[in-house]
Amino acid sequence: MSYRTTPSVDYVEDVSPGSGALPPRAWYASSDAQSLSLNGSWRLRVSATADAEDESFAEEGYDAGNWAEVTVPGHWVLQGDGAFGSPIYTNHLYPFPVDPPYVPTENPTGDHLRVFDLPSDWPSDGGAVLRFDGVESCARVWLNGTELGEFKGSRLAHEFTVGELLKPGRNVLAVRVHQWSAGSYLEDQDQWWLPGIFRDVTLLHRPAGSPGDFFVHASYDHTTGEGTLRVDSDVDGRVTVPALDIDVATGESITVAVEPWTAETPRLYDGVLATDGERVPLRIGFRTVVLEDGLVKVNGRAILFRGVNRHEWHPRHGRALDLETMREDVLLMKRHNLNAVRTSHYPPHPAFLDLCDEYGLWVIDECDLETHGFVEQDWRDNPVDDERWTPALLDRAARMVERDKNHPSIVFWSLGNEAGTGRGLTAMAEWIHGRDPERLVHYEGDWNCRDTDVYSRMYASHEEVAKIGQRLDGGTHKRRELPFIQCEYGHAMGNGPGGLADYQELFEKHERLQGGFIWEWIDHGVEHAELGYAYGGDFGEELHDGNFVCDGLVFPDRTPSPGLIEYKKVIEPVLIEGDGTNGTVRVTNKHDFADLSALAFEWSCQVDGETVESGSLAVPALAPGEGAEVKLPEPPADGRGGERQWTVRALLADDTSWAAKGHVVAWGQFAVGARPLPSFPPTDRPVRDGDRITLGPAGFDARTGALLSIGGVEVGAAPRLDVWRATTDNDDGAEWQTDTRYGMLWRTLGLHRMRHRLVSVEAGDDALTVRTRVAPAAREVGLDTVYRWTSDGERLRLNVSVTPEGDWTVPLPRLGVRFGLPEADRVEWFGGGPGEAYPDTRTAAMVGRWQSTVDGLQTPYVRPQENGARADVRWVELGGLRIEGDPEFWFTARRWTTEQLDAARHRTDLTAGDTVWVNLDHGLHGIGSQSCGPGPLPQYFLKAEPVEFSFVFSTTR
């Protein structure tokens, strides 16, 4: 005989979306109906299994005084210093057995209690609904001891009717949340698994006669300049828009002259939907989205997505974001020239979409659906191709569309992400097309475009994208007639991504290519007292994917990474070109809709990186796509004979909602003439005195030829050839990739443990020559390296010649010299800056005079790796030395060795030593984005071939 002593939890493993919740409806931030936020401090009890506790906690009078307190919105595993469990990070593997719809008995369950007082002025007429905007992953709800129902769909809103259950004064809300449920199989997104009530909980008064749902239809006819408005409502009412003199009944259409909404010109009209019971504010944007001539067009024009994928993330609060954090994200995006967001991989907090409407961002709104883990079994038993799960899929689609349908920023509905293919996706697409034919449908996994209106791919190589742009990619006839977007590309993990400028060139060259979305916006580092930021595996997870969760354009604290600075430059909406020889600059407007009237232009002239003159530049208010040659002033006379260049900037002419007057939108830079190289006639000869050789201002070890000092500056470690870098995430690549992963090959070859064999030290009449062979143990390949030192009496010149020996089948990570200085802090240089750059990430490197500290040169990637190089350096000063290069070189300085950097797993592993290690590199290998996408293009490979380069050292003391 078997029996239960605890209630049934069968609903946890039921494939249905739940029971008791109201049908989905449009979300709006406020109205004149009263509401009560139930956010704040809640009581929490966490149990190890779904049925470990009975339901008595939901009854009135239950004493939860000894329970812990947590904050809602929030995740319980991010509160309580680990007392309630820990986060889990997996990319696509389910952290539980794949046995749908079942989940483990070990199922952390959080019982939540919130006692609240109904305000004394709470209306007694009408009803009320209790709204949950997001709970992971399954919740069961009671109010004042009465069960309301249960639901799944973590990133979706659910409402319950509660009017008859509310009491004057004290009320008790109880919510049981299970970490794992059947719904977890549909939520295998690449992110942390974080249970809890992580979005708002709100009590809403619903007066008699208030609308249950409404749909704002606001189209724009670009041929007439008119907009047509119709607001459908399930309750009759009137719609007023004072700025347009509109006053019509719901369900009626009216056409008037309007300014259209676009991401560049986000014109919103304030209106009101008034019914007998409620006045709901409306923010109306008129725009029309169509698929026409094989292109996505808005208001009659094809658009180019300069986008980013955005997970919701905060390093302390996880996916529980406040309004100001969301606003900070949008402002950063606008200030860095982004115009689009894909809400990967679920609908965001609805307030984020309000911000996209207000500030102007195109949005692909993505359904809360991913079943990626089924790829491990070749998609067998995939829920999206199992009709038993179709009601849950349709529920998720409906809850996305109905909640968000009134946002003009949304141009695509996305069925989800990495869920294979199947009948359920087709059912979702058919329902969405029928419910909202005014938008398009996206899904990357549908390569034949059976259900979608766009051909979408992830991480297609430059070569493949070029073929797609030329319609040479094959596929079905329907697919070849559709536009193409890269819904994910440019994997921003660690140092990178590289190759963005090359992608953008293709996007702008081929009409079919309508841009893409960088993966992704923010590193998902979890703030950690000992590690700085934690990533997968730092919480003892049995199964995890390491720092693959840290792949954003901004660091966890929302500081822009070099990748974001590079992307801003690559996608800037104004192209500024010149060659410095004909006295003109060409300005091209690359906006889709806006002219250049909102911008002011400035020119400046630099000599050796210092601005000697500047002024304003008259540029016409060019329409989108137009260009013009603009005359520059005569370059100022300068008697120094230095390197001269022009810099032209496009700035905001006035304050905007997203940036202040003077904010730099775009810039261009071009040389007036060739760089004059430093003159260096050698005059001194090396002189041996015991175990020391003197050459001009320098001293050398007579036995090894190692540099010991220059003038009064001691050299802690002599310059010698260096080819190793602490591998980047993109060097290492991803384990599933079949393409060559050079980080792995470099280690296999032994480039991280090169040995230096001294061949000879030769003190000649005019030079000290040191011959060496640099090679890895166990391999026959090597680099014959000759250091030739000369002096003009005050300065010291090092000429390095490198000749590869053997069959070098791999490129080099870097090629240059490394040396150590015992003291260095302040750094000044003339070259690319102010931030780091590498061969395929150097578009944003502006040539000028820059200053920093050694610590300020470091880029704080969550997982330490090669970083901080400055490009096109003419000279650098640090530690009492001035170093000039012929040709320009790459410069890096840090307080730890490359080997220490390579071994570090977190920033806190790096401890400053007594030596500043300086790399002067003739060349660096490209970056690419092979942490998930393609590696560097061949033109960014650092080939092992004969090369010669030189540096001139002098003292600044």
Side-chain angles (χ1 to χ4, degrees), residues 607-688:
V607 177
D608 289 339
E610 293 186 295
T611 297
V612 295
E613 196 168 332
S614 62
S616 60
L617 189 67
V619 176
L622 299 169
E626 287 187 344
E629 297 282 342
V630 180
K631 183 69 176 175
L632 290 166
E634 288 296 320
D638 181 80
R640 288 180 289 176
E643 180 179 354
R644 295 195 296 170
Q645 66 187 18
W646 291 103
T647 302
V648 177
R649 294 176 173 87
L651 318 168
L652 288 181
D654 296 293
D655 291 346
T656 69
S657 62
W658 49 269
K661 176 182 178 180
H663 169 78
V664 178
V665 173
W667 58 271
Q669 197 172 56
F670 41 95
V672 175
R675 172 199 172 200
L677 294 174
S679 172
F680 192 91
T683 59
D684 285 22
R685 59 176 297 172
V687 178
R688 179 162 184 164

Side-chain angles (χ1 to χ4, degrees), residues 116-275:
F116 64 93
D117 289 329
L118 198 66
S120 59
D121 61 347
W122 188 268
S124 58
D125 63 313
V129 298
L130 178 65
R131 183 181 186 92
F132 294 89
D133 281 308
V135 183
E136 183 175 329
S137 72
C138 173
R140 189 177 177 191
V141 187
W142 297 262
L143 180 64
N144 293 327
T146 298
E147 183 173 353
L148 305 179
E150 34 78 23
F151 62 89
K152 307 176 190 76
S154 298
R155 269 67 71 175
L156 301 164
H158 295 82
E159 292 182 329
F160 297 91
T161 300
V162 296
E164 295 181 356
L165 299 176
L166 290 173
K167 299 178 180 180
R170 186 177 186 273
N171 289 263
V172 179
L173 174 59
V175 185
R176 173 164 284 174
V177 180
H178 306 284
Q179 176 158 20
W180 311 123
S181 68
S184 301
Y185 285 99
L186 305 180
E187 295 172 5
D188 189 27
Q189 294 98 338
D190 175 12
Q191 62 180 349
W192 293 96
W193 299 88
L194 298 172
I197 306 172
F198 67 94
R199 286 187 186 159
D200 305 288
V201 183
T202 312
L203 184 66
L204 300 166
H205 177 230
R206 306 305 300 138
S210 61
D213 189 25
F214 61 91
F215 197 162
V216 177
H217 302 271
S219 61
Y220 178 72
D221 186 336
H222 65 279
T223 64
T224 65
E226 294 178 320
T228 299
L229 175 67
R230 186 185 83 246
V231 178
D232 296 330
S233 173
D234 59 356
V235 172
D236 291 342
R238 296 199 69 79
V239 177
T240 55
V241 186
L244 298 175
D245 293 328
I246 289 177
D247 185 347
V248 296
T250 53
E252 294 184 5
S253 296
I254 184 170
T255 300
V256 296
V258 298
E259 297 175 39
W261 188 98
T262 75
E264 296 166 4
T265 56
R267 180 65 163 96
L268 292 173
Y269 290 92
D270 291 325
V272 174
L273 165 62
T275 67

Side-chain angles (χ1 to χ4, degrees), residues 41-57:
S41 179
W42 288 54
R43 292 288 183 173
L44 172 71
R45 175 184 63 188
V46 178
S47 305
T49 65
D51 58 358
E53 306 287 349
D54 61 28
E55 299 165 6
S56 61
F57 80 103

Side-chain angles (χ1 to χ4, degrees), residues 25-28 213-218 229-232 268 273 280-285 287 353-354 357 365 400-410 413 435-436 438-439:
R25 65 185 181 111
W27 185 91
Y28 48 92
D213 189 25
F214 61 91
F215 197 162
V216 177
H217 302 271
L229 175 67
R230 186 185 83 246
V231 178
D232 296 330
L268 292 173
L273 165 62
V280 180
L282 305 176
R283 302 207 78 189
I284 302 167
R287 58 103 186 97
L353 298 173
D354 285 343
D357 295 341
D365 196 3
M400 171 182 68
V401 171
E402 301 295 5
R403 191 197 74 169
D404 297 342
K405 58 183 177 282
N406 295 327
H407 291 282
S409 57
I410 298 173
W413 301 114
R435 176 58 174 150
D436 184 18
E438 297 168 2
R439 290 184 177 93

Side-chain angles (χ1 to χ4, degrees), residues 462 504 769 916:
H462 298 80
Q504 194 66 23
T769 303
V916 171

